[in-house]
Amino acid sequence: MADENKNLDEKLKNDQTEAPGIREIIEKKIYFFIRYFLPSIIPLIIYVGVVAICLIVGAFVFNFGKPLEQYMQEMTNLYAIIGVCITFRILRKRSQKEGSGFFEDASLYIHDINIKKVFLCIGFGIGSALALSAFISLLPSIGVIAEYESHVDKIYQRWSVFLSMMFSTFFTPLVEEVIFRGYMLNGLLPHWSEKKALLVVSLTFAFMHGTSIWILYAFVMGMILGKVSILEDNIFYSVVMHMSFNLPSTVLWLIYLRIPGSKESLSANPFMILLMGLAGGVVAWGCYIIYKRSRKHEIPITFK
């Protein structure tokens, strides 16, 4: 009985000494999250704020009494492109003020580019986009799938087809890679583990995409893009891959617009969709294998 009481006292004593330690660990983790995460999303806040300001100013100055929905449908791409340019200028000034440079803070370098890796990124981006699009197209157009298709339709059915293509294929990948895999990831890597930093950046990137299907595949692509950026220490490759990932949907929509009935014809041919998806998957997997093998002969990059 005495031994049991002694063991119980020791257990209670251990619990009392461990509780403050657990609390301190939790408080420390919360502090570190706030301390480093909030500054890392400042470029994202700047971008979203600048685009919002451009849209609001445009609505008051150039809207001329149009319904708000029509205005947003027609002018979003134009003001978003303007917002990207203004955001880059602000980030450049901000980097200079802090004693660094825009390209260094974003890890965007155009020198010493490996052409083989560029083509592998292009192949992986296009192939994975075709595989994913085929998979979604073969699912019943109900619920979240119908929501996804409606969202895609709205992107390309705006005031200018050319601006929609430019924004989706060029400006969106560029600004998102600079902000997420550039400024944000670089801001977290010196203080967090690679796994944690990549996870948080990818989740933030995913939730910026709105609908559930977009969130899911944006998270997966965000993890891939982030990993490539870390391995290469250069977001140029993730920019190329991101652009390539967006390219097939842009090309398909251009075909749909130029050739009446082509969308309905493709939708009614599940065999062709499946074949396209399988071909894309094979290309993406092949590019991944070749890239992985080429990395074995290189010196790994480490972060201090």
Side-chain angles (χ1 to χ4, degrees), residues 26-46:
I26 294 174
E27 290 175 351
K28 186 177 180 180
K29 287 186 176 182
I30 293 174
Y31 168 77
F32 268 81
F33 182 82
I34 296 174
R35 171 68 178 82
Y36 298 113
F37 175 74
L38 293 182
S40 74
I41 63 172
I42 289 177
L44 176 60
I45 294 172
I46 291 173

Side-chain angles (χ1 to χ4, degrees), residues 15-213:
D15 290 343
Q16 289 176 355
T17 57
E18 290 176 3
I22 294 173
R23 184 169 61 249
E24 288 174 1
I25 292 173
I26 294 174
E27 290 175 351
K28 186 177 180 180
K29 287 186 176 182
I30 293 174
Y31 168 77
F32 268 81
F33 182 82
I34 296 174
R35 171 68 178 82
Y36 298 113
F37 175 74
L38 293 182
S40 74
I41 63 172
I42 289 177
L44 176 60
I45 294 172
I46 291 173
Y47 171 59
V48 173
V50 167
V51 173
I53 291 171
C54 289
L55 285 168
I56 292 171
V57 171
F60 280 104
V61 178
F62 303 109
N63 192 19
F64 301 118
K66 293 180 181 178
L68 181 60
E69 184 177 353
Q70 181 183 354
Y71 167 75
M72 293 295 292
Q73 187 73 11
E74 292 179 352
M75 306 303 292
T76 295
N77 284 332
L78 175 62
Y79 289 119
I81 290 173
I82 295 173
V84 170
C85 298
I86 296 174
T87 298
F88 282 171
R89 183 169 180 81
I90 293 174
L91 293 178
R92 180 172 173 270
K93 292 291 184 181
R94 185 169 175 263
S95 293
Q96 290 177 343
K97 187 177 179 180
E98 294 177 356
S100 55
F102 171 80
F103 292 99
E104 289 76 16
D105 287 343
S107 292
L108 178 59
Y109 309 108
I110 56 175
H111 55 79
D112 298 329
I113 297 299
N114 188 309
I115 300 300
K116 177 182 177 181
K117 290 181 180 178
V118 170
F119 280 105
L120 289 175
C121 288
I122 292 173
F124 183 87
I126 293 176
S128 58
L130 290 174
L132 181 62
S133 298
F135 174 74
I136 294 176
S137 298
L138 291 172
L139 295 175
S141 184
I142 56 175
V144 294
I145 303 301
E147 181 185 10
Y148 163 81
E149 293 174 349
S150 175
H151 189 72
V152 173
D153 288 344
K154 289 179 180 179
I155 291 177
Y156 292 98
Q157 292 176 358
R158 287 177 177 162
W159 174 55
S160 169
V161 175
F162 175 75
L163 285 179
S164 295
M165 292 175 60
M166 286 294 295
F167 183 66
S168 298
T169 309
F170 179 76
F171 285 97
T172 295
L174 180 59
V175 71
E176 288 183 347
E177 293 311 305
V178 166
I179 288 175
F180 290 102
R181 261 64 65 175
Y183 277 86
M184 188 174 181
L185 192 57
N186 284 341
L188 295 177
L189 280 173
H191 312 286
W192 291 2
S193 67
E194 177 185 311
K195 184 178 179 180
K196 182 179 178 181
L198 189 56
L199 178 64
V200 170
V201 170
S202 299
L203 283 172
T204 307
F205 173 68
F207 281 108
M208 288 296 295
H209 283 73
T211 62
S212 54
I213 295 296

Side-chain angles (χ1 to χ4, degrees), residues 120 122-128 130 277-289:
L120 289 175
I122 292 173
F124 183 87
I126 293 176
S128 58
L130 290 174
L278 289 174
V282 169
V283 171
W285 181 254
C287 290
Y288 165 74
I289 294 299

